[in-house]
């Protein structure tokens, strides 16, 4: 059973986090949230006028807890297919805890490692064994929240 209210709440929270992040970094001139359960969360226009597809994920972990973050294989494959077929830039943004963000330009991740991982799915209230692509945190652009509540590139 799928808890649509949970997923909708999370998508709204993630979009609001993206809006706040974008106020600091000014990457996107336009952002539009897609419908619930769309394979891409956000369709955007970057400041250079290029179309961008953005997948968002919030993670309640510390930035140093793992070496990798992961993405659903079908979401990665869909983002990359849109890049190859339509030249729409594939971006994956992870909100890590309350003070870090890791941004992946998926064009720069060549052949990510696929692994089986066990996850707790709070939208379905089950533990699942799933396939995911592993993305090294070191391959993403890391941001942290500074004392002025601005997002800056992590040192």
């Amino acid at each position: 059973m799928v808890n649509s209210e949970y997923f909708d709440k999370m998508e709204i929270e993630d979009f609001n986090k993206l809006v706040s992040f974008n106020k600091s970094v000014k990457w996107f001139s336009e952002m539009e949230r897609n419908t619930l359960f769309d394979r891409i969360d956000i369709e955007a226009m970057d400041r250079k006028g290029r179309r961008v597809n953005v997948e968002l994920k919030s993670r309640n972990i510390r930035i140093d807890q793992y070496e990798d973050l992961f993405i659903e294989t079908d979401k990665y494959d869909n983002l990359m297919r849109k890049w190859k077929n339509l030249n729409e830039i594939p971006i994956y943004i992870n909100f890590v805890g309350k003070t870090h963000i890791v941004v992946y330009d998926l064009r720069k991740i060549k052949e990510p490692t696929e692994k089986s991982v066990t996850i707790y799915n709070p939208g379905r209230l089950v533990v699942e064994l799933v396939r995911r692509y592993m993305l090294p945190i070191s391959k993403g652009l890391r941001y942290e929240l500074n004392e002025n509540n601005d997002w800056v590139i992590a040192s």
Side-chain angles (χ1 to χ4, degrees):
M1 181 168 131
V2 175
N3 182 345
S4 295
E5 288 178 16
Y6 170 81
F7 287 115
D8 194 42
K9 177 181 177 247
M10 294 309 299
E11 299 256 328
I12 290 168
E13 285 181 15
D14 286 350
F15 182 72
N16 290 337
K17 291 176 187 176
L18 177 62
V19 168
S20 175
F21 174 63
N22 195 53
K23 283 180 184 175
S24 288
V25 299
K26 298 177 178 45
W27 277 9
F28 305 112
S29 59
E30 298 173 25
M31 297 182 295
E32 185 174 325
R33 202 177 140 232
N34 284 330
T35 58
L36 189 61
F37 301 119
D38 194 300
R39 297 315 300 153
I40 295 170
D41 291 331
I42 308 295
E43 292 179 3
M45 188 73 66
D46 73 7
R47 60 182 169 221
K48 294 180 181 178
R50 300 174 296 186
R51 294 203 47 79
V52 181
N53 291 311
V54 183
E55 176 63 23
L56 302 173
K57 188 70 174 180
S58 285
R59 300 185 183 283
N60 191 20
I61 60 172
R62 292 184 328 273
I63 191 68
D64 60 351
Q65 194 167 345
Y66 301 102
E67 291 183 15
D68 301 307
L69 298 175
F70 48 76
I71 185 171
E72 295 174 39
T73 55
D74 62 323
K75 287 186 178 185
Y76 173 90
D77 294 340
N78 185 51
L79 286 163
M80 294 308 292
R81 189 169 31 260
K82 290 210 173 230
W83 162 243
K84 290 174 185 158
N85 295 336
L86 302 172
N87 210 34
E88 295 174 353
I89 299 170
I91 299 293
Y92 184 42
I93 299 177
N94 284 260
F95 303 103
V96 182
K98 295 186 185 316
T99 59
H100 290 87
I101 296 175
V102 180
V103 180
Y104 294 97
D105 179 343
L106 295 178
R107 299 173 299 175
K108 298 178 180 178
I109 309 285
K110 304 297 182 207
E111 299 181 30
T113 303
E114 187 175 354
K115 271 176 77 172
S116 290
V117 295
T118 302
I119 65 165
Y120 174 69
N121 185 329
R124 293 187 171 91
L125 302 175
V126 296
V127 175
E128 301 173 311
L129 181 64
V130 295
R131 300 293 294 173
R132 297 289 190 260
Y133 288 129
M134 308 310 289
L135 304 174
I137 291 174
S138 63
K139 299 276 186 185
L141 186 55
R142 288 184 46 206
Y143 286 84
E144 60 190 8
L145 200 57
N146 71 11
E147 62 278 355
N148 298 321
N149 276 340
D150 290 321
W151 291 103
V152 297
I153 294 175
S155 50

